[in-house]
Amino acid sequence: MTAIQGDGSIRIGVFICHCGINIAAKVNISEVVEFAKTLPHVAYATDYQFLCSDPGQELIKTHIRENNLNRIVVASCSPLMHEVTFRRAAGEAGLNPFYVQMANIREQVSWVTKDMKSSTTKAKALVAAAVRRVARHDALEVRQVPVKADVLVVGGGIAGIQAALTIANSDKKVYLVEREPTIGGHMAQFDKTFPTLDCAACILTPKMSSVAVHPNITLLTFSEVVSVEGYTGNFRVRIKRKPRYVIEDKCVGCNACVDACIYKQPRFPDEFNVGLSKRKPVYMPFPQATPSVVLIDPESCIQLKKGTCKMPCVDACDRNAIDFNQKEEFLDVDVGAIILATGYQPFNPSRIPEYGYGKYPNVYTGLEVERLVNAAGPTQGQIVLKDGTKPKSVGIIHCVGSRDQKTNPYCSRVCCMYSLKLAHLIKERTEAEVFNFYIDMRAAGKGYEEFYDRVMSEQVQVIRGRVAEVTDWAVTPEEEGKLVLRVEDTLVGVARRIPVDMVVLSVGLEPQPDVEQVQRLFNISCSKGGWLLERHPKLAPVSTFTDGIFIAGACQGPKDIPDCVAQAGAAAGEAMALIDKGHVDLEPNAAHVRENCSGCRTCISACPFHAISLDKETGLSVVNEALCKGCGTCVASCPSGVAQQQMFTDEQIYEEIEGIMNYV
Amino acid sequence: MSKPKIGFYWCASCGGCDEAVVDLAENILSVVEAVDIAVWPVAMDFKRSDVENMQDGEMVVTFINGAIRNTEDREIVEILREKSKYIVAFGSCAHLGGVPGMGNLYTRESILECSYSETPSVVNPEKVCPQGETTVPEGVLTLPVLEERVWTLDQTIEVDYYLPGCPPPVALIVDGVTAFLTNQLPPKGSVLGPKHSLCLDCPRKDTKPENMLIKEFKRPHETEIDLETCLLAQGLLCLGPATRSGCGAACINGNMPCTGCLGPTDSVRDYGAKALSGIASLFDAETEADIARIADRIVDPAGTFYRYSLPGSLFQGKVFQKEGARS
Amino acid sequence: MSEVSKSSSGNGFEPRIVGFFCNWCTYTAADLAGTSRLTYAPNVRVLRVMCSGRLDPQFILDAFRKGADGVLIGGCHPGDCHYQAGNHKALRRYTLLKRLLKTMGIEEERVRLEWISASEGDKVQRVINEMTEDIRRLGPLRLPPIPHAGRMPGEAVERVSSIGQETGL
């Protein structure tokens, strides 16, 4: 591949792009071309309208051949945009693709500089830097590594389920890991879904059972990822399986053990019903739980806590599925790609004390009301107050924990719509008067505005204003025994007091509380506030900066079910593209330790990826190229300068500084 | 045919380098057998004119120790350059500036001020300060003038080889002299010493943890130093990882951390910056406050990392912006 | 003679600042500033590294040695490093280097480390404008030249000569 010819002298070609007028309007192109011709080793310099176009690339190739160029500098847009393009062109002309260096004279010069003189000067400096640098480039080879064929999906909510099914349907093996005892996520807790009012369970449970029976899906519930090693195409993941004290393969979910439990009545808060009902120590999370397997809560089970129970559950199980000696187990899996669909947590409204959540019994969160209106919920679908009576008036407060500088500045995107849905359901079930307190009514989505119109036609009242306070301090006889919402009606411009029986807080969405752990575990970034960061907000929305790891659903940011499902499909597509390709190309920017290492070990502790170790025989440091991600931290730390990074050697950087500083 | 001539000369130095030549002990006999020592002010009487009268290139090699601090240093090394085929910068001061090089943290004026009037033991009400020329009834007296700053030898004259160390270890001197005697010289500009850093030859290397991080630095007087464990692992700021080997780990064997006298390895441009980078990389801290807490324990960064190499560093010394003390 | 230094001898001093930006956050942010057409001072010339952790303090001194009046380092926010903790390593070196530079007479404002995420194009603009103004106020660095009769400090030996010499003994 190498194209150093004859006497081995360096012959650099410099190509300056006009990018139409994007660069040419601010940079004096001919001046830069003439300047480039004066730089050391430059054998040829020219300019062109659009170098990234087919004729532009042809021009580069032609000049490489005709002028015997063995290095090229392309001064155009950002290397993040077109480095691949120009490397490919150089490769097609017989040049090693790594003999290319770009000077970013568009994004970092012409687009950001006011006057032509400064732009031209800066462009020249960057061209000189690239010329000095490229002279020191080495011929390198892209490394190809085969990929593992299986995929790991983390999180069994709707996004994880959709991603797992899509991949499994393409005949690839999927490991679906869910930390709760059942998949289904938040969607399983919802009653109806906006704007179509489909029953959430009716559309979700078929997907859940498809997961359970799919021959290509290994479902690992009540399990958590504890470590991730390797890199794109070749991850080794360790999964911890927490003990359920029930043998999953034997249990058929008949609930005989639940009936037999020493506790005749359920006494412990039921997680699925957000604490609004009780369960026993041995329980099925909810009727359609998948897998349909019970589990025993070690916090409340007498046998597990004290070892003194008669264990009627064991006797009741004719399949001998109960095993009090179960321990946590670890499972290692090798996968080529990982999809994170770890979801969100609802905002905890006790952080806004003026809304009285936890203080006034009849202040609920939206999720609690979802359970109340659900026929399988704690009240069999009856919307009742804590005293068992039906509310005659209900106030729904939007934007609780959203669009609020004190909590979360962002819009949670789903609250307006679910508030309207709850308004409709409450109205339908109780005929109560319903007030919605909103800041802006955000109904952007297919059929959403129509749904808003429909709810409006049902005489739901909407008041524009952020509620200041929920109080039980009555100032008029009508307010006695009620919860009073104090609000400024900003459309009318008056302060109002609205007494109601029940308050629903439309809480926003927040990142999972352990998102930092997820971020560390998978080595991905978070955007502000803790949402997992996509590689590009528009063009790579499900990719991350860690190759081979994709994100889907609300872990990336608040979104509704249709968007979660769409993202899950996109992430599945990305994962399949990676796996079907069969190999990954690695940038040859790995570090290596040259001769004369003294084995001081500084680089070993500097490496974030444990890619460097001490060779047992020589006592010197060696880099495992497969683990090295090419950050260069070890190189900077190496006290004797023997560690070097390909594509970013000390010499290349010194030359670049020289070029930047000493020509203009 | 007469024996080839060699010379030893000293500039701003402590005399330790000449002591090191004496430390060659019986080895010096084989040297004397092969060559004539034509210049060696510490041991022999010779006058400037003796050197001036030599033919150009008459001496095969002159080993010059000490930094260039005053006009006399400069004049003599310039003469020696003419008279010698090869010049070896001998010892840290000639190589990188050495301990006298830390004078580059101050201006010449402030150094003179400090030495001739501010020092508590000095009584100098008339503020007498050395002058280049002083007229007395008998005529004009001259003294060498302190240069604006301290220079390394290769900032003054062309240097062919470097023998590093404070002073250069005997083994390196023997190897260096042997290279001349046996005509096996490495490329011009080479430092005559091993190419790796000290850790490889450290007797304590096996006690160094593979994944080492440091929570707190201690100074030698603040702690009881274990005789066998890696000094860095004990929190002592040992510069062995950054420093060229060749000393036989003399300081380590004296249970003291390496302070860097042999200077950097070949692939390093600025000893202090590189050593600092290696040491800072070991900080066991993530937050700004924790990092600052660890850094607080390195009380004199310039004196720590540039103890022997300030004039030979990229900055060469402190930058005096406001005073305009530099041309 | 450069245009920039020409103008510095004239009415206004134009600082020259070398930027070392990490590929994933700050370099991308600088590109974003470009696509958003945020104009800013032309004084910072950027050099791309994969991670701020690659920054060898020698590069910073070398930039000053070669005439820079300031050095700007841009990395990912703590916790957001593409390479987990390269920016922490950068911070460790930067902290100690700043202390060294202080004793070397380098004003605080001449070396600046900023965490700029890929989405903070506006921060690139603000930081570059601020730093340019700060250094304009300070004036040029005026690092005194080093005479080099022999070789440049620390310059790789191989580059001086690769041919063995005859001793003539």
Side-chain angles (χ1 to χ4, degrees):
Chain A
M1 278 290 266
T2 319
I4 296 276
Q5 290 115 353
D7 58 356
S9 64
I10 294 168
R11 294 177 57 81
I12 301 172
V14 180
F15 299 88
I16 318 278
C17 185
H18 295 230
C19 195
I21 58 158
N22 280 303
I23 295 170
K26 275 288 171 64
V27 173
N28 184 333
I29 302 278
S30 54
E31 198 181 320
V32 179
V33 172
E34 289 313 307
F35 166 80
K37 287 177 182 166
T38 66
L39 295 170
H41 300 301
V42 171
Y44 185 79
T46 190
D47 58 300
Y48 191 71
Q49 277 285 318
F50 290 101
L51 283 169
C52 62
S53 66
D54 281 348
Q57 293 183 52
E58 275 312 313
L59 175 98
I60 292 174
K61 289 189 244 176
T62 308
H63 286 296
I64 289 175
R65 292 193 201 99
E66 286 182 359
N67 293 295
N68 255 344
L69 304 175
N70 51 34
R71 303 279 199 286
I72 63 163
V73 166
V74 181
S76 57
C77 51
S78 170
L80 305 186
M81 181 76 112
H82 270 310
E83 193 169 49
V84 176
T85 311
F86 296 117
R87 277 185 187 165
R88 199 193 309 124
E92 285 164 8
L95 203 61
N96 183 288
F98 295 94
Y99 282 140
V100 175
Q101 176 68 16
M102 288 183 73
N104 185 346
I105 61 166
R106 192 181 71 172
E107 281 84 343
Q108 297 191 13
V109 177
S110 67
W111 279 352
V112 292
T113 313
K114 279 201 188 105
D115 63 291
M116 191 150 192
K117 191 170 167 240
S118 309
S119 285
T120 307
T121 305
K122 191 174 175 186
K124 284 182 189 172
L126 296 184
V127 167
V131 166
R132 292 290 302 233
R133 189 189 209 279
V134 83
R136 291 255 163 195
H137 276 203
D138 302 305
L140 300 169
E141 297 293 334
V142 168
R143 290 178 290 152
Q144 284 195 345
V145 184
V147 299
K148 299 278 188 308
D150 301 348
V151 180
L152 171 75
V153 177
V154 184
I158 179 59
I161 289 172
Q162 180 71 23
L165 285 173
T166 308
I167 296 166
N169 287 342
S170 78
D171 256 351
K172 290 178 180 58
K173 300 268 185 254
V174 178
Y175 296 94
L176 177 58
V177 173
E178 166 59 53
R179 71 168 155 198
E180 299 298 332
T182 170
I183 56 170
H186 282 110
M187 187 177 169
Q189 291 173 293
F190 300 158
D191 182 55
K192 298 280 195 297
T193 55
F194 62 78
T196 49
L197 297 177
D198 291 300
C199 146
C202 312
I203 55 176
L204 178 64
T205 49
K207 282 192 177 287
M208 289 164 63
S209 33
S210 303
V211 167
V213 300
H214 206 295
N216 289 334
I217 298 181
T218 305
L219 178 58
L220 302 164
T221 54
F222 216 44
S223 302
E224 288 179 42
V225 173
V226 291
S227 72
V228 180
E229 284 172 12
Y231 53 96
T232 177
N234 292 272
F235 296 105
R236 166 152 287 199
V237 181
R238 172 158 283 202
I239 298 159
K240 179 170 84 180
R241 309 216 62 198
K242 299 178 276 189
R244 308 171 82 104
Y245 305 103
V246 171
I247 300 163
E248 209 175 308
D249 296 341
K250 291 187 179 171
C251 176
V252 290
C254 69
N255 284 344
C257 53
V258 180
D259 296 336
C261 179
I262 201 93
Y263 284 101
K264 289 300 158 214
Q265 292 302 320
R267 280 184 50 180
F268 305 97
D270 182 331
E271 291 86 354
F272 185 73
N273 280 330
V274 260
L276 293 172
S277 67
K278 306 283 189 218
R279 60 156 172 80
K280 293 183 179 181
V282 55
Y283 66 104
M284 181 72 79
F286 61 98
Q288 301 95 330
T290 304
S292 182
V293 173
V294 296
L295 73 157
I296 301 173
D297 170 20
E299 296 299 311
S300 50
C301 168
I302 292 176
Q303 179 60 23
L304 285 169
K305 271 170 75 182
K306 299 182 187 153
T308 56
C309 187
K310 287 182 202 152
M311 299 184 280
C313 55
V314 174
D315 298 334
C317 182
D318 53 10
R319 300 175 63 85
N320 295 323
I322 295 196
D323 174 9
F324 282 112
N325 294 320
Q326 215 173 46
K327 298 275 179 296
E328 62 182 25
E329 286 169 20
F330 293 90
L331 175 71
D332 288 335
V333 299
D334 291 319
V335 295
I338 297 173
I339 294 173
L340 297 177
T342 50
Y344 69 95
Q345 65 170 335
F347 175 78
N348 177 357
S350 48
R351 279 166 56 196
I352 308 179
E354 54 270 33
Y355 286 170
Y357 181 76
K359 180 180 174 195
Y360 305 124
N362 290 320
V363 177
Y364 292 83
T365 68
L367 190 57
E368 287 166 348
V369 178
E370 292 281 355
R371 294 314 304 148
L372 288 182
V373 294
N374 188 274
T379 55
Q380 289 77 45
Q382 297 301 307
I383 299 169
V384 287
L385 299 171
K386 289 281 155 66
D387 64 4
T389 61
K390 270 194 182 179
K392 294 193 181 61
S393 54
V394 178
I396 301 177
I397 306 179
H398 294 213
C399 299
V400 177
S402 306
R403 306 185 68 196
D404 175 5
Q405 292 305 326
K406 281 182 283 185
T407 56
N408 294 309
Y410 53 81
C411 166
S412 289
R413 288 189 60 198
V414 296
C415 322
C416 281
M417 294 311 293
Y418 85 63
S419 299
L420 292 174
K421 173 190 75 179
L422 290 176
H424 163 84
L425 293 173
I426 292 167
K427 194 95 189 158
E428 184 183 75
R429 305 280 166 86
T430 63
E431 294 177 351
E433 191 167 15
V434 181
F435 301 89
N436 274 261
F437 300 88
Y438 70 102
I439 305 176
D440 294 296
M441 193 63 79
R442 294 189 169 174
K446 192 173 177 185
Y448 291 10
E449 188 69 18
E450 293 86 334
F451 183 68
Y452 165 72
D453 289 340
R454 171 183 169 178
V455 176
M456 286 305 96
S457 72
E458 293 167 354
Q459 278 79 49
V460 166
Q461 302 214 39
V462 290
I463 295 171
R464 187 171 182 276
R466 186 189 279 282
V467 172
E469 188 187 20
V470 175
T471 176
D472 62 354
W473 185 33
V475 295
T476 61
E478 306 89 78
E479 292 179 0
E480 288 296 340
K482 303 261 186 184
L483 292 167
V484 180
L485 294 104
R486 293 182 49 229
V487 61
E488 184 196 350
D489 185 333
T490 57
L491 291 182
V492 186
V494 293
R496 294 180 67 180
R497 295 174 62 91
I498 315 274
V500 294
D501 296 320
M502 179 186 209
V503 172
V504 182
L505 304 178
S506 293
V507 292
L509 275 52
E510 281 195 336
Q512 290 280 17
D514 58 350
V515 66
E516 228 173 276
Q517 213 177 315
V518 171
Q519 184 197 341
R520 293 231 169 83
L521 202 52
F522 294 94
N523 185 31
I524 50 172
S525 303
C526 283
S527 34
K528 264 186 200 143
W531 302 105
L532 301 186
L533 183 66
E534 64 282 349
R535 193 179 191 113
H536 189 282
K538 299 179 185 73
L539 301 179
V542 298
S543 301
T544 68
F545 285 105
T546 300
D547 291 337
I549 299 188
F550 306 97
I551 49 179
C555 60
Q556 180 261 350
K559 56 180 63 65
D560 57 17
I561 294 166
D563 284 2
C564 284
V565 171
Q567 265 204 339
E574 295 280 0
M576 291 190 290
L578 166 63
I579 287 176
D580 281 343
K581 190 179 175 196
H583 66 262
V584 285
D585 292 338
L586 301 182
E587 276 274 285
N589 60 7
H592 58 281
V593 177
R594 300 182 297 180
E595 58 181 346
N596 297 319
C597 166
S598 71
C600 81
R601 301 150 166 86
T602 307
C603 55
I604 298 179
S605 53
C607 178
F609 305 103
H610 311 294
I612 313 181
S613 57
L614 215 57
D615 183 296
K616 293 243 158 37
E617 286 191 2
T618 61
L620 307 180
S621 288
V622 275
V623 180
N624 180 339
E625 264 204 35
L627 295 178
C628 174
K629 300 231 192 312
C631 63
T633 299
C634 60
V635 181
S637 76
C638 175
S640 58
V642 296
Q644 280 303 319
Q645 181 187 10
Q646 291 187 151
M647 298 174 69
F648 292 89
T649 66
D650 283 359
E651 283 305 320
Q652 287 164 357
I653 293 170
Y654 286 130
E655 287 295 315
E656 217 173 338
I657 300 172
E658 178 75 24
I660 274 185
M661 293 309 303
N662 281 348
Y663 289 86
V664 281
Chain B
M1 194 181 145
S2 63
K3 288 190 276 186
K5 288 179 184 162
I6 69 164
F8 294 100
Y9 189 73
W10 58 355
C11 296
S13 72
C14 65
C17 283
D18 289 297
E19 197 61 52
V21 177
V22 176
D23 280 347
L24 285 173
E26 63 272 20
N27 281 317
I28 205 160
L29 297 175
S30 56
V31 175
V32 175
E33 215 165 86
V35 298
D36 272 338
I37 299 178
V39 179
W40 195 7
V42 76
M44 295 150 53
D45 184 24
F46 90 107
K47 297 283 177 278
R48 178 173 175 153
S49 57
D50 299 337
V51 184
E52 279 171 340
N53 291 335
M54 285 185 191
Q55 302 290 310
D56 281 0
E58 189 174 323
M59 285 191 289
V60 172
V61 53
T62 300
F63 298 86
I64 299 175
N65 73 67
I68 306 305
R69 173 79 269 193
N70 63 36
T71 47
E72 186 195 29
D73 296 336
R74 183 182 290 279
E75 285 164 22
I76 303 273
V77 299
E78 279 171 359
I79 298 169
L80 287 168
R81 176 69 273 187
E82 298 290 308
K83 307 300 175 192
S84 314
K85 208 165 168 197
Y86 294 101
I87 291 288
V88 176
F90 189 91
S92 302
C93 300
H95 178 203
L96 296 163
V99 171
M102 284 200 286
N104 282 356
L105 291 171
Y106 306 90
T107 58
R108 174 177 62 186
E109 289 66 31
S110 66
I111 290 171
L112 289 171
E113 178 106 348
C114 178
S115 301
Y116 290 92
S117 60
E118 286 173 1
T119 305
S121 58
V122 167
V123 181
N124 182 7
E126 280 110 60
K127 305 243 179 233
V128 176
C129 211
Q131 304 295 315
E133 287 185 0
T134 312
T135 312
V136 292
E138 293 80 2
V140 177
L141 296 177
T142 59
L143 272 179
V145 176
L146 216 55
E147 296 236 343
E148 197 68 63
R149 50 198 340 206
V150 181
W151 309 103
T152 66
L153 189 59
D154 66 5
Q155 288 163 357
T156 316
I157 56 167
E158 196 176 328
V159 169
D160 300 290
Y161 297 104
Y162 302 83
L163 254 171
C166 182
V170 168
L172 293 195
I173 302 175
V174 171
D175 288 353
V177 172
T178 310
F180 276 98
L181 296 178
T182 58
N183 199 10
Q184 286 180 325
L185 284 168
K188 181 180 168 175
S190 293
V191 177
L192 305 175
K195 302 232 174 275
H196 54 266
S197 72
L198 181 58
C199 291
L200 187 67
D201 302 321
C202 181
R204 306 184 184 194
K205 68 175 172 189
D206 294 338
T207 63
K208 191 171 188 177
E210 216 175 278
N211 199 345
M212 199 177 67
L213 288 169
I214 297 171
K215 274 202 167 21
E216 191 195 3
F217 284 99
K218 300 185 193 88
R219 303 173 77 188
H221 63 277
E222 295 170 337
T223 178
E224 194 162 323
I225 309 173
D226 182 80
L227 287 163
E228 265 139 39
T229 312
C230 165
L231 293 160
L232 260 177
Q234 298 186 57
L236 290 144
L237 209 162
C238 178
L239 293 174
T243 307
R244 187 185 296 273
S245 190
C247 58
C251 293
I252 314 297
N253 289 328
N255 212 25
M256 288 299 275
C258 169
T259 54
C261 74
L262 272 92
T265 55
D266 286 344
S267 6
V268 172
R269 290 195 179 196
D270 187 294
Y271 175 82
K274 199 58 167 140
L276 175 148
S277 186
I279 291 294
S281 301
L282 300 174
F283 284 15
D284 192 3
E286 307 275 280
T287 65
E288 267 181 56
D290 288 346
I291 292 171
R293 204 167 301 129
I294 297 180
D296 284 344
R297 300 285 289 133
I298 300 173
V299 288
D300 173 17
T304 303
F305 297 110
Y306 285 126
R307 184 169 303 178
Y308 303 94
S309 64
L310 189 56
S313 71
L314 285 164
F315 271 32
Q316 225 258 341
K318 183 168 174 176
V319 185
F320 297 94
Q321 298 283 341
K322 304 287 183 286
E323 298 93 295
R326 299 278 163 71
S327 53
Chain C
M1 196 65 195
S2 75
E3 288 167 45
V4 171
S5 19
K6 261 183 219 158
S7 63
S8 72
S9 57
N11 38 14
F13 155 61
E14 284 299 331
R16 292 197 296 167
I17 301 167
V18 176
F20 294 96
F21 286 3
C22 85
N23 182 63
W24 304 98
C25 289
T26 313
Y27 194 87
T28 310
D31 278 358
L32 175 64
T35 43
S36 319
R37 308 296 202 279
L38 304 173
T39 55
Y40 53 78
N43 305 60
V44 176
R45 296 162 182 183
V46 175
L47 203 147
R48 182 170 67 108
V49 286
M50 293 311 285
C51 176
S52 54
R54 174 68 183 91
L55 261 215
D56 188 324
Q58 292 186 104
F59 299 158
I60 297 164
L61 301 194
D62 188 66
F64 283 124
R65 170 46 61 209
K66 285 173 178 156
D69 301 299
V71 171
L72 172 62
I73 306 156
C76 307
H77 285 269
D80 288 353
C81 178
H82 178 71
Y83 302 104
Q84 288 178 358
N87 52 2
H88 290 139
K89 309 282 190 321
L91 181 62
R92 295 176 200 171
R93 297 184 196 117
Y94 171 80
T95 307
L96 197 50
L97 183 71
K98 283 284 270 197
R99 289 161 188 236
L100 179 75
L101 290 177
K102 203 175 164 196
T103 44
M104 304 293 281
I106 303 298
E107 297 94 335
E108 189 80 4
E109 296 91 328
R110 293 199 191 268
V111 190
R112 187 162 166 174
L113 171 66
E114 284 288 342
W115 307 133
I116 305 178
S117 79
S119 58
E120 294 176 311
D122 53 334
K123 192 170 176 185
V124 170
Q125 178 192 41
R126 179 172 61 76
V127 166
I128 287 181
N129 284 339
E130 267 176 27
M131 191 168 179
T132 305
E133 280 320 302
D134 285 347
I135 294 182
R136 200 191 300 281
R137 218 170 295 125
L138 288 179
L141 180 60
R142 289 211 191 92
L143 211 59
I146 299 179
H148 49 100
R151 58 182 177 129
M152 282 293 283
E155 197 171 5
V157 175
E158 310 86 73
R159 297 182 56 198
V160 176
S161 166
S162 54
I163 305 151
Q165 307 279 315
E166 294 294 311
T167 60
L169 275 173

